[in-house]
Amino acid sequence: MDIDYLRGVGIIPDPADNDNRAAEPGPIHLLTQQRVVASRRPGIITHRCDVALPPGSLLQVDANTFVCGPELVFVQIAASGNAAATLKIGYELMGLYTLRADDQQEIVPAEQAMTVQSLTDYLEQLPPTRGRRKATELLPLLCEQSRSPLETDTALMLYLPHIRGGFNTERPLLNYRIELTEQAQSACSRSSIECDLYFPKARVDVECNSAYHNSEQQRRLDDERATALAAMGILVIPVSIPQIEDLDKLEAVARIITRRVGGKYRPRAKAFPVRQSMLHAEILKDFEKPKDKQAENPQQEGSEAPS
C-alpha cells in the first residue's frame, strides 16, 4: 500500500494540511471481488463484493486507482451504520456542504455528490447485496440541498416519523426559493427569498440560525425577510443550536407545523421516548465542541512521560 501515493491523489489526508490525528492513514477500506486473507497490517480492512456492480459504482481517480461512488458508499454505510448516522451522511452527500476530516467541524461548500433520483436509479440496478434493503428503506427519508449539519439535523428531527424518533411533520423543502409578491418585495427590496426548511402545506419557514445571525446587520435582514414572508401568509420560525439541544423547544416547533395543516401532534409509536432519545443523541454529536488537544495530551515538550 503506497500511502504517499494515496495522499497525492487526495484519498487520505496529508499531514502537511492537517496537524491532527485525522491525517493519520486508516482505516483504509479495500473492496475486493474474491475472498482474501485478512491483512494483518494495522489500518487495512478488506470487504468482499462478488455481485456485478451497476455502472457508476466506481469512480476512476487515475489510471491505477478507483474509489467507490457516492451511491455505493451510501449502501455500504447503510449496511454497517445505524439509521440516523446513515441518514446524516445521505443528507451530506445530497447537500451543498461537506465537513473537514478532522475535529474542527468546519463546513466547506460543495456540489451535490448524488441526488434522490440518482440513488433511486442506482438501487433499482443494484443486485441483492448487503445494505441494499436498508438503503432502500431510508431513501424516502432523504432530502436534498441541505447547506449545513444544523439544517440536516433540524430536518431529521422534525421530518422523521415517530417510529424513528422524529416529530413526523410533513416533508420540508430545503433551501427552497420563494418568489415574492410586489407587496412582499416592498418589505425587503428583494424579488425572492430562500428558505432553509420550507413546509409547503403548513406554509412555515424554519430558519436555522447559527452564530452568524447574531450580528446587528443580519438581525435586521432576518426581520425584513420575516415581514416579507408574513405578507404572503408564511410563518417564519427561527431555530438555533440551543433549541436543537432542547427536545421540548423543538417539539413546540413541530406542534406549530402540525397545527397549521389541521393536524394534532400525537406520537403513537411504541417506545417513542426511547427512539427519540436515541435519535437526539446521534444529532447532538454534530454540536459537541472539539476536544482540546492540550487537555487530550497534557504532556509538554521536554517533560518526562509518566511511568
Side-chain angles (χ1 to χ4, degrees):
M1 182 67 63
D2 189 339
I3 298 299
D4 290 335
Y5 169 78
L6 294 180
R7 286 195 178 111
V9 295
I11 292 177
I12 63 175
D14 189 331
D17 299 328
N18 298 285
D19 58 348
N20 52 65
R21 63 180 178 274
E24 294 298 320
I28 297 173
H29 296 259
L30 302 180
L31 192 64
T32 68
Q33 284 187 306
Q34 301 174 350
R35 188 177 299 279
V36 296
V37 177
S39 172
R40 293 182 178 275
R41 180 172 175 177
I44 302 294
I45 302 174
T46 59
H47 303 268
R48 180 188 176 194
C49 178
D50 53 9
V51 303
L53 294 174
S57 296
L58 302 177
L59 305 179
Q60 189 167 4
V61 177
D62 64 13
N64 303 310
T65 310
F66 292 79
V67 295
C68 296
E71 289 81 9
L72 178 55
V73 167
F74 184 77
V75 173
Q76 292 170 325
I77 294 174
S80 56
N82 64 57
T86 302
L87 285 168
K88 284 164 62 174
I89 294 294
Y91 271 65
E92 183 176 344
L93 290 171
M94 291 186 178
L96 302 173
Y97 73 97
T98 190
L99 300 173
R100 281 176 38 168
D102 56 27
D103 290 337
Q104 301 307 308
Q105 299 177 320
E106 180 180 334
I107 301 171
V108 181
E111 295 182 7
Q112 281 185 257
M114 69 177 183
T115 64
V116 169
Q117 188 60 57
S118 71
L119 181 58
T120 300
D121 295 342
Y122 184 80
L123 292 174
E124 290 176 351
Q125 299 176 64
L126 182 66
T129 187
R130 186 167 176 261
R132 178 179 179 272
R133 182 179 62 83
K134 187 174 179 181
T136 302
E137 292 176 353
L138 297 178
L139 177 59
L141 305 177
L142 292 170
C143 296
E144 300 181 28
Q145 302 286 314
S146 175
R147 291 192 183 275
S148 69
L150 180 56
E151 291 183 7
T152 290
D153 295 336
T154 304
L156 287 173
M157 286 301 305
L158 292 176
Y159 172 52
L160 289 189
H162 293 146
I163 196 170
R164 294 190 179 274
F167 289 106
N168 198 39
T169 65
E170 65 168 302
R171 184 191 188 96
L173 302 174
L174 275 60
N175 292 287
Y176 180 76
R177 187 173 296 277
I178 293 179
E179 299 299 326
L180 299 179
T181 62
E182 290 186 8
Q183 180 183 1
Q185 288 182 37
S186 64
C188 66
S189 302
R190 282 185 282 176
S191 60
S192 63
I193 284 178
E194 194 174 83
C195 301
D196 288 350
L197 276 69
Y198 181 61
F199 297 82
K201 294 181 180 178
R203 295 184 67 76
V204 169
D205 168 29
V206 173
E207 285 296 304
C208 300
N209 292 348
S210 62
Y212 168 72
H213 291 260
N214 291 333
S215 70
E216 184 64 32
Q217 180 181 6
Q218 188 58 43
R219 284 196 295 268
R220 179 179 59 79
L221 293 174
D222 289 344
D223 291 342
E224 289 180 357
R225 73 189 307 281
T227 302
L229 291 175
M232 297 177 61
I234 298 173
L235 175 65
V236 177
I237 303 177
V239 171
S240 60
I241 292 177
Q243 286 173 284
I244 287 288
E245 294 172 336
D246 190 322
L247 278 174
D248 290 336
K249 293 179 180 178
L250 202 56
E251 181 180 312
V253 175
R255 288 181 179 276
I256 292 172
I257 296 171
T258 303
R259 187 167 58 245
R260 282 177 66 93
V261 294
K264 292 184 178 180
Y265 179 74
R266 293 177 179 175
R268 300 182 184 277
K270 186 177 181 180
F272 172 68
V274 175
R275 295 175 185 270
Q276 189 175 63
S277 296
M278 293 174 63
L279 173 63
H280 196 231
E282 180 64 38
I283 295 299
L284 292 181
K285 291 179 182 178
D286 288 337
F287 309 114
E288 294 176 353
K289 294 183 178 179
K291 294 180 180 179
D292 180 54
K293 294 179 184 177
Q294 187 62 36
E296 197 172 286
N297 184 19
Q299 182 180 343
Q300 299 291 331
E301 184 178 353
S303 63
E304 294 184 2
S307 59

